Amino acid sequence: MTHDSPKNDSECGSARRASREWWLYVALLCVPLLAVYLHIPPPQLSPAVNSWRTSGHFFTFRGNNIFYKESFGVVGSSDVLLLLHGFPTSSYDWYKIWDSLTQRFNRVIALDFLGFGFSHKPRPHRYSIFEQASVVEALVAHLGLSEQRINILSHDYGDTVALELLYRSDHNRSGHITINSLCLSNGGIFPETHYPRFLQKVLKDSGFISPVFTRLINFQLFSRGCDLKDVFGPYTQPTEAEFWDMWTGIRFNDGNLVMDSILQYINQRLKHRERWVGTLTSTSTPLHMIYGPLDPVNPHPEFIQLYQKLVQRSTVSVLDEHVSHYPQLEDPTGFFNAYLSFINSF
């Protein structure tokens, strides 16, 4: 019979301890990685964003709660303004000009599209521009405004939703909104002059890998490493607190997990270009474009030259050369004055 020597026993014990320590290190490393992956804990809303939320309302669209905010302004006017926000943010994009707008219009209304902001963010779900247009029509009906002529002011993603609404209005589709005027701003309405950011292209085209990417995005990556920072001008960058407000709106109800699905709107723009650009060029509705010329997504002068060539009935306001993709946030005074000039011109 053989016996292990004390030396062998000591070596085996050391190996077992080393193995346990290695697994302990792996476990300790996995805890923060898992926390990042699952986004634990959820980010807190700032007082300003929380106030925006608590001052709003919800209505139900096909089983999903849709957030909207409404203010009554000028007495004696019947003018209604509907605001349509961009990707990946929310109705809070309009907060800098909200009070000014209520001094011009009787009712000012903004919603969070399905999958955005404080609205429900179902998954899995096939998000589409067509559905978002139906959400807007349902909101207008919910507010008892189906017979009212509506002014629409839109931005980015909201521009394409607005064009679908315009198509339905011009073609007298059932349930359509009657559009009194339409003002667009820095939306990628022409696929040939639209340059999505790197992360947008990765998320929309990476198949089964995209859901992993959406979980791994955290605030630091969002505010510093992601492409959102690059769509603001060098002199109009959001503060850390403003980036946080954008991020918490995205993260509310795990909205980061549906970004890849929502981003299919870029492919939808290409597929339905004839429908949406066609109605833009043929409509008799008063049109205006407010444009931040430093926009890398819809670059100057390529984008605005094509717009002026194709949409000859539209008027155009090009803002200061330092203003980029979010003109209502970067130059709220210039943006509001440009819109006021347009809305008072007819």
Side-chain angles (χ1 to χ4, degrees):
M1 180 179 295
T2 60
H3 298 279
D4 291 333
S5 69
K7 181 179 179 181
N8 289 340
D9 288 342
S10 177
E11 290 175 351
C12 288
S14 297
R16 285 194 295 269
R17 283 194 300 272
S19 178
R20 284 196 299 268
E21 289 175 359
W22 184 81
W23 280 108
L24 179 61
Y25 292 142
V26 171
L28 289 173
L29 180 63
C30 285
V31 168
L33 288 177
L34 183 63
V36 170
Y37 187 73
L38 298 177
H39 292 274
I40 301 171
Q44 295 293 311
L45 300 178
S46 72
V49 174
N50 191 54
S51 175
W52 185 270
R53 177 175 176 256
T54 56
S55 66
H57 310 276
F58 291 88
F59 82 102
T60 302
F61 175 82
R62 297 175 185 171
N64 294 294
N65 287 335
I66 304 297
F67 174 85
Y68 69 94
K69 181 177 170 67
E70 178 183 25
S71 290
F72 289 84
V74 178
V75 177
S77 169
S78 60
D79 291 348
V80 177
L81 176 63
L82 179 62
L83 305 171
L84 306 180
H85 68 80
F87 176 91
T89 42
S90 69
S91 59
Y92 192 64
D93 286 352
W94 304 106
Y95 82 97
K96 287 187 177 181
I97 61 172
W98 186 267
D99 289 343
S100 297
L101 292 171
T102 61
Q103 294 173 24
R104 169 59 178 81
F105 292 90
N106 175 251
R107 295 173 80 172
V108 180
I109 305 156
L111 80 158
D112 289 346
F113 290 123
L114 185 68
F116 293 79
F118 300 124
S119 293
H120 271 178
K121 299 167 180 177
R123 65 179 198 276
H125 187 81
R126 184 171 293 180
Y127 291 87
S128 76
I129 294 296
F130 298 101
E131 182 180 45
Q132 303 289 19
S134 296
V135 170
V136 175
E137 289 176 337
L139 173 60
V140 170
H142 171 77
L143 295 174
L145 296 171
S146 296
E147 304 302 318
Q148 179 78 36
R149 297 184 66 83
I150 307 291
N151 300 287
I152 296 178
L153 173 57
S154 61
H155 171 245
D156 184 61
Y157 180 89
D159 283 8
T160 305
V161 178
L163 292 183
E164 173 57 22
L165 291 168
L166 184 64
Y167 178 90
R168 297 180 186 186
S169 179
D170 284 357
H171 290 78
N172 203 29
R173 295 293 179 90
S174 177
H176 71 85
I177 295 173
T178 301
I179 299 177
N180 188 56
S181 70
L182 172 58
C183 180
L184 309 168
S185 58
N186 285 80
I189 53 178
F190 305 123
E192 59 268 42
T193 63
H194 181 239
Y195 297 88
R197 309 309 292 160
F198 173 75
L199 188 61
Q200 289 181 312
K201 291 186 283 188
V202 168
L203 289 177
K204 80 179 181 69
D205 293 329
S206 296
F208 70 92
I209 299 176
S210 295
V212 177
F213 289 160
T214 60
R215 287 183 178 272
L216 292 175
I217 299 173
N218 58 19
F219 175 66
Q220 296 303 320
L221 182 60
F222 172 79
S223 62
R224 293 186 173 86
C226 282
D227 299 319
L228 188 63
K229 185 181 180 71
D230 296 334
V231 300
F232 287 84
Y235 306 111
T236 58
Q237 285 287 307
T239 64
E240 187 89 352
E242 289 170 334
F243 269 129
W244 180 258
D245 288 341
M246 295 177 193
W247 172 242
T248 55
I250 293 169
R251 277 285 292 112
F252 194 88
N253 287 338
D254 291 328
N256 56 301
L257 303 185
V258 301
M259 289 174 68
D260 55 326
S261 300
I262 292 174
L263 276 165
Q264 298 310 309
Y265 78 87
I266 296 174
N267 298 329
Q268 292 164 23
R269 279 174 172 168
L270 180 61
K271 181 178 180 179
H272 302 289
R273 183 194 185 281
E274 183 176 348
R275 177 186 180 99
W276 294 329
V277 175
T279 199
L280 184 63
T281 58
S282 63
T283 188
S284 59
T285 298
L287 296 172
H288 191 66
M289 167 67 72
I290 302 177
Y291 179 61
L294 204 58
D295 187 357
V297 182
N298 309 288
H300 185 274
E302 185 179 358
F303 169 81
I304 203 65
Q305 286 179 351
L306 181 61
Y307 182 84
Q308 292 175 310
K309 176 183 177 181
L310 296 181
V311 195
Q312 297 182 5
R313 291 189 59 260
S314 175
T315 51
V316 172
S317 296
V318 179
L319 301 182
D320 184 87
E321 62 181 2
H322 300 302
V323 178
S324 186
H325 184 68
Y326 274 86
Q328 76 276 37
L329 293 175
E330 299 176 68
D331 183 12
T333 300
F335 186 94
F336 174 73
N337 288 338
Y339 183 62
L340 195 62
S341 295
F342 162 63
I343 207 69
N344 290 336
S345 66
F346 59 92

